[in-house]
Each structure stands twice: as C-alpha cells, then as structure tokens.
C-alpha cells in the first residue's frame, strides 16, 4: 500500500464470482467505508467504475477489463497485473498498478494520472485529451506495445522502456516523453522528436518522483527523475488538420 494511504476499513473477497455480483459487493462496501480492500480479484470487469473523490480501492489479484472506467477522482491501487482498458474515459483521480497492464489503458482519458510499474500492451493513451486545467498523464515503467499515443489530442505519456512500432500515429496534441529515442525514420509525419527543455524536466521530475514513491522500494531502485537523456515527441503544429477545413 502506498505511503500515506488510508487503511481499508472493509474487505471484500471476490474469488470466481460473476462481475455483476462482484461489483455489487464492492459498491456496498464503499457505501460503508471510504477505503476498501478487494481480495482474490479474478478478471471481474468494471471494478471501481466512476469511483468518486475520497474513495479508495486496494485490489489484490487481476482485475478485469475497464477497471476504473469513468474514474471521477477516486484512488485505485492494484497489487498485481491489470487487464485491458483501465481508466477508460477517466475524468480525474489516480490509478497505480504494481505490475503491467493490457491494451488501451487511458482510452479517451480526460484527467488524472495512471502509473504502471512495468510494461503495457497496445494502443495505450489512445485519444487522450486535455481541456484548460485538466491534463491527464500516464507513466509506463517498462516497454510499450504498438500504437502508443495513437491519435493523442492532449495530455502526457512518459515511457521508461522502449516503444513498439507505430508510435504516436495520428497524434495531434499532447506530449510523449521517451527515455530511449526512436530512429528518425520511425517518427510519424507531422511530428518532431527533440531534446527536452527546462519546463519538460520540471514536469518529468514531478511525474517520475511520484512513480518512484509508488514503486522504488519494490524495484530496489529509483528511476532517474532528472529528465537526463529524455526526448519528447510533439506535433509540429497545433492545427494539423487546418487545411481540411475552409
């Protein structure tokens, strides 16, 4: 459990129960307590869906698809791996995964932060967006599958491992920070790969500092939070499709 996290006042054991009954049990526990520990999660879908600010889930096992979809300020920590589409269209809050996650994490994400200790599947961060003060962020500690940041419209992705093919295809907003630069020929049309600046390093120090608070103890090391050696991928223009409209 992360430092400073509230101790769970309720414990729910899911086992092999159907996802409908499992979610009913979790919601009932959250009505009685702000912090709930979920034991023996076996791929039940939608756990923590729309969890509001002030509520917390600590999940042991492997939650199913769409965990924390529409998250609305709550805090979810997974002690294990997570399946596909965690944080689907999340609005605010935080997700911490002590393992890896599957495909399409943060799909359409509009706010909040996702921290994944290890790698991730395909199409993570697809269609992420930001508006005014909401700037979503995803930090991935390992390698990423293909199409990371596909159609990215806003927000931040930080990758500490190596990206798969087709990085940032269709990206037209936001920033992707890479610990390992990609070959110039792999940079998608309309994008630029360039060194980070002082503002980038301050942002990376914040995000990677939080990553270290989540995972450094169990990894036995800290990620370098100085931004040294990072590059950023960004669009060359903020209006890539202007020529399509009169």
């Amino acid at each position: 459990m992360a430092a400073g996290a509230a101790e769970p006042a309720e414990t729910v054991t899911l086992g092999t129960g159907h996802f409908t009954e499992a979610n009913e049990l979790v919601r009932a526990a959250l009505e009685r307590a702000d912090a709930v520990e979920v034991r023996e999660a076996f791929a039940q879908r939608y756990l923590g869906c729309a969890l509001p600010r002030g509520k917390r889930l600590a999940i042991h096992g492997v939650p199913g698809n769409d965990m924390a979809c529409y998250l609305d300020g709550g805090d979810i920590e997974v002690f294990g791996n997570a399946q596909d589409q965690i944080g689907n269209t999340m609005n605010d809050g935080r997700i911490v995964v002590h393992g890896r996650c599957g495909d399409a994490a943060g799909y359409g994400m509009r706010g909040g932060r996702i921290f994944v200790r290890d790698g991730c599947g395909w199409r993570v961060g697809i269609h992420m967006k930001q508006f005014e003060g909401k700037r979503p962020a995803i930090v991935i500690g390992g390698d990423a599958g293909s199409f990371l940041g596909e159609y990215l419209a806003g927000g931040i992705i930080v990758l500490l491992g190596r990206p798969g093919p087709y990085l940032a295809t269709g990206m037209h907003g936001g920033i992707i920070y890479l610990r390992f630069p990609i070959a110039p020929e792999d940079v998608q049309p309309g994008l630029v790969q360039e060194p980070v600046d002082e503002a980038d390093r301050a942002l990376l120090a914040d995000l990677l500092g939080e990553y270290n608070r989540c995972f450094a103890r169990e990894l036995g090391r800290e990620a370098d939070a100085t931004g040294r050696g990072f590059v950023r991928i960004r669009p060359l223009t903020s209006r890539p499709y202007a020529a399509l409209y009169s």
Side-chain angles (χ1 to χ4, degrees):
M1 186 172 296
E7 288 297 325
E10 291 274 343
T11 299
V12 176
T13 300
L14 302 183
T16 57
H18 189 271
F19 77 88
T20 301
E21 288 74 22
N23 279 281
E24 288 174 355
L25 288 172
V26 172
R27 284 193 293 268
L30 286 166
E31 289 179 0
R32 299 188 295 267
D34 291 337
V36 173
E37 185 173 33
V38 177
R39 292 279 178 181
E40 296 182 21
F42 285 111
Q44 287 91 353
R45 290 174 279 173
Y46 310 123
L47 296 175
C49 180
L51 191 72
R53 186 177 305 279
K55 296 289 186 178
R56 182 178 189 279
L57 287 180
I59 301 176
H60 298 264
V62 181
N65 290 358
D66 282 301
M67 183 200 77
C69 60
Y70 313 119
L71 189 70
D72 199 23
D75 192 290
I76 297 180
E77 192 161 9
V78 179
F79 296 90
N81 298 321
Q83 292 189 343
D84 299 342
Q85 295 174 199
I86 64 171
N88 180 358
T89 324
M90 68 182 280
N91 183 55
D92 203 356
R94 189 178 77 148
I95 300 170
V96 175
V97 178
H98 294 262
R100 73 180 313 278
C101 70
D103 299 342
Y107 181 98
M109 184 179 175
R110 299 173 295 188
R113 293 181 170 187
I114 298 176
F115 295 91
V116 179
R117 189 193 68 190
D118 302 330
C120 65
W122 289 32
R123 289 193 160 91
V124 167
I126 181 173
H127 287 302
M128 278 174 64
K129 53 187 67 71
Q130 67 187 61
F131 180 70
E132 295 183 344
K134 283 189 174 294
R135 194 180 192 190
I138 300 176
V139 180
I140 303 294
D143 295 342
S146 300
F147 297 101
L148 177 71
E150 186 180 30
Y151 304 122
L152 189 69
I156 302 158
I157 298 174
V158 181
L159 182 66
L160 300 181
R162 297 187 182 276
Y166 311 112
L167 173 73
T169 299
M171 175 183 180
H172 54 98
I175 297 178
I176 299 176
Y177 293 107
L178 300 176
R179 180 67 184 85
F180 298 98
I182 59 175
E185 61 269 24
D186 292 332
V187 178
Q188 295 291 314
L191 306 180
V192 61
Q193 177 176 251
E194 59 193 7
V196 298
D197 59 20
E198 287 298 325
D200 296 314
R201 282 190 281 271
L203 184 55
L204 285 165
D206 175 39
L207 289 169
L208 293 176
E210 189 166 357
Y211 176 91
N212 285 332
R213 288 190 291 276
C214 292
F215 307 124
R217 180 178 298 178
E218 63 196 70
L219 290 173
R221 56 177 171 78
E222 287 193 350
D224 184 353
T226 65
R228 184 169 45 245
F230 275 84
V231 296
R232 67 185 180 191
I233 303 288
R234 66 168 180 83
L236 283 167
T237 173
S238 61
R239 300 186 66 224
Y241 305 118
L244 298 178
Y245 303 98
S246 59

